Amino acid sequence: MTFRITIGIDPGQTGAVAVIADGAWAGFHDMPTMPRPGGKGLHVNGAALAEVLRDVSTAHPGADALAVLEEVGAMPKQGVTSTFRFGEGYGVIRGVLGALRVPFVTVRPDRWKRDLRLAGLAKDSARTAAIQRFPSAACQLARKKDGGRADALLIAHWAHATEQIGEAA
């Protein structure tokens, strides 16, 4: 029986959802996306994300759940359209969490990276750190493009390690 699941979410098209059950890695889901109308890029598929979160809950019946969403903002030299689209995806994720009544907290990237001693290190250092902390996840973190998975897993680990408590959305 699982007592607590912590769901780390790295938002964005290349983001991911990582699940920790009672402190142990329990799975990944790449961020579900779908084509934008008009064929210009992708966006977060809220219905598919809701299904992922329902599946996680079903796999751990009765467990207390907490989602941890990386709180992101505009990045330097990012265009207006890119910033708007990224914010739109972030809003879809928050909306899905709220609709499913999943308690959640947000954390800024500089906070979880500082607390896990990853601040200022190369981007790929998160993948290495995730493999070191969760060796059973190594096979699903083998590629450089698995950085979203690594970030999501470390975000979940941060929340579990710091005993975060969320509020219902």
Side-chain angles (χ1 to χ4, degrees):
M1 176 179 187
T2 303
F3 293 101
R4 180 172 175 155
I5 55 172
T6 308
I7 305 163
I9 304 174
D10 179 31
Q13 295 176 18
T14 60
V17 175
V19 181
I20 292 177
D22 293 334
W25 172 70
F28 290 117
H29 301 274
D30 292 323
M31 186 60 66
T33 59
M34 58 192 256
R36 287 186 172 283
K40 295 192 177 196
L42 301 171
H43 63 100
V44 174
N45 182 334
L49 178 60
E51 191 63 32
V52 164
L53 295 174
R54 279 191 210 101
D55 289 347
V56 168
S57 179
T58 300
H60 304 279
D64 287 333
L66 173 69
V68 189
L69 175 60
E70 185 176 55
E71 184 180 326
V72 292
M75 295 174 14
K77 300 183 183 180
Q78 187 176 26
V80 173
T81 301
S82 296
T83 300
F84 180 82
R85 287 183 176 172
F86 196 69
E88 177 186 52
Y90 181 81
V92 167
I93 295 166
R94 284 186 68 119
V96 168
L97 292 170
L100 295 177
R101 296 187 175 152
V102 176
F104 73 96
V105 295
T106 60
V107 62
R108 297 207 33 86
D110 57 331
R111 168 88 187 271
W112 71 262
K113 289 179 182 181
R114 181 187 69 236
D115 289 351
L116 297 180
R117 295 190 170 108
L118 295 170
L121 299 179
K123 183 158 179 63
D124 201 45
S125 61
R127 199 167 55 87
T128 302
I131 290 169
Q132 288 172 344
R133 284 185 171 89
F134 300 95
S136 60
C139 63
Q140 293 195 36
L141 296 170
R143 307 167 300 172
K144 283 200 181 263
K145 73 178 199 172
D146 293 331
R149 290 177 178 181
D151 284 357
L153 183 55
L154 292 174
I155 290 165
H157 171 66
W158 171 85
H160 181 79
T162 59
E163 299 179 349
Q164 296 295 308
I165 298 172
E167 294 183 24

